[in-house]
Amino acid sequence: MPAVQSRLVVRSFATLVFFTALAGQFWRNLLGWWGFGAIALVVFVGSVVLLARLKPDWVWAKFPRSIGVFLVITTLSIAWSFYPGASAIGVAVLWATTIAALFLALVLSWAELLRTLAAALRWVIALSLLFEVIVGAFVRQPVLPLWVSYPGEKIPDAFYWSRGLLFHGGPIEGIVANRNLLGFVALLAVIVFAVQLAARSVRRGWGIAWLAAAAVVLVLTRSATVTLAAGFVAIVLLFALWTRRRGPQRRRPVYLAAAGLIVACGVAVATLSPWLLSLFGKSEDLTGRLDIWASVTDLAVQRPAFGWGWVSYWVPWAEPFAGLASRKGVVYLQAHNAWLDVWLQVGVIGLLAFLTIVAGALWRSWFLAVDRPRTSVSDTAPYTVSALLPLLLMAALIAQSVAESRLLIEYGWVLLVLVSVTTKRQQVLNRPMP
């Protein structure tokens, strides 16, 4: 196969991988779990085959050891798991997702990564808007996922694929069937499209149109958690740009200002919580999250060191997850906090390994964003404006991890591994010449 066609196949498959990670619920609602399983199997097998055929440059010095440690801990947790069968499934899914992320990180150049991620995000944004228009203009009533049926007359709002509220100002759920998830995908799209525009890697009119579409979707989701995440990303961006302008020797005021802002935010949360919650339209229990966090904490302290066993996304048929987090007739299958979820599943040892992955990726992303490369490197290196992308992605993921557990599954884990591996490789390439 000619090289040009070969890279086209790789990029097309990478777009499918990104789309499946971002919109897994779309496949599940459209094709059911068996259909989604078939798509996931294609993604996994394709990733393995392309990794084997293309034989990307692989050096252990360029691979974050913290990811390996975390994978080992989660795998070993099957031995002490309270639900070994569910843990085996969860571990298999984690390894498969990791392999797909490694395909993206090791096979694609930095330009191809940006291009394929942007393409997948455009598909999610466009299909979500089209879907909501069809439901709102033609169906004119809430739509349930295909291949499912719910007993009883009263169906909770969370069960619907779309409630058809586009022409009522939202909130909209899009193809991912959840306004918080759609809002976060829209936030990722805003980040990626803005970076493409600033880097002049897309035509200006085309880039502005897609950026506007992503911003419209973000607003229409009316997600308070995503709004807060967007604010956090904006603050990180401002501090990164400020740090760039100061240069390596004059950054103390930046870091002092950042520390002061953290303290001020802590004081504001402690003293103005009721007012802040009402401002963002949240109840005092954070839409039930405080009760879920309390239940998860009570369970985690029973097995604090090693946890109950890795399971990734909670399985409703295994104890103690059945009924652990329920609200208004909906059983939630996550802790709504990635950190609590890791502690619950693999204890303090797993939490420390996970913290090392996130902290390492954030640390490398920060300095790659604010420092110039010290050596000449290939096109796999993020330059100039695009060097901000890993940092902004990490900021968004960390902000979301406080209220959602998506950092452990699908796009969250894929992006975390992707940023961790690509920044580690760049750090190695950036070492001073001997």
Side-chain angles (χ1 to χ4, degrees), residues 108-144:
L108 300 181
S109 69
W110 182 253
E112 289 174 324
L113 275 174
L114 184 58
R115 181 177 175 181
T116 53
L117 176 57
L121 288 166
R122 285 196 294 269
W123 275 106
V124 177
I125 294 297
L127 288 176
S128 292
L129 285 173
L130 178 62
F131 176 60
E132 291 291 348
V133 167
I134 292 173
V135 174
F138 301 103
V139 181
R140 297 184 180 180
Q141 64 181 8
V143 174
L144 286 168

Side-chain angles (χ1 to χ4, degrees), residues 13-43:
F13 181 74
T15 302
L16 174 65
V17 174
F18 273 128
F19 179 85
T20 302
L22 291 164
Q25 193 60 39
F26 166 71
W27 294 124
R28 290 188 286 271
N29 283 1
L30 182 68
L31 305 174
W33 277 97
W34 288 106
F36 169 72
I39 297 293
L41 183 62
V42 168
V43 168

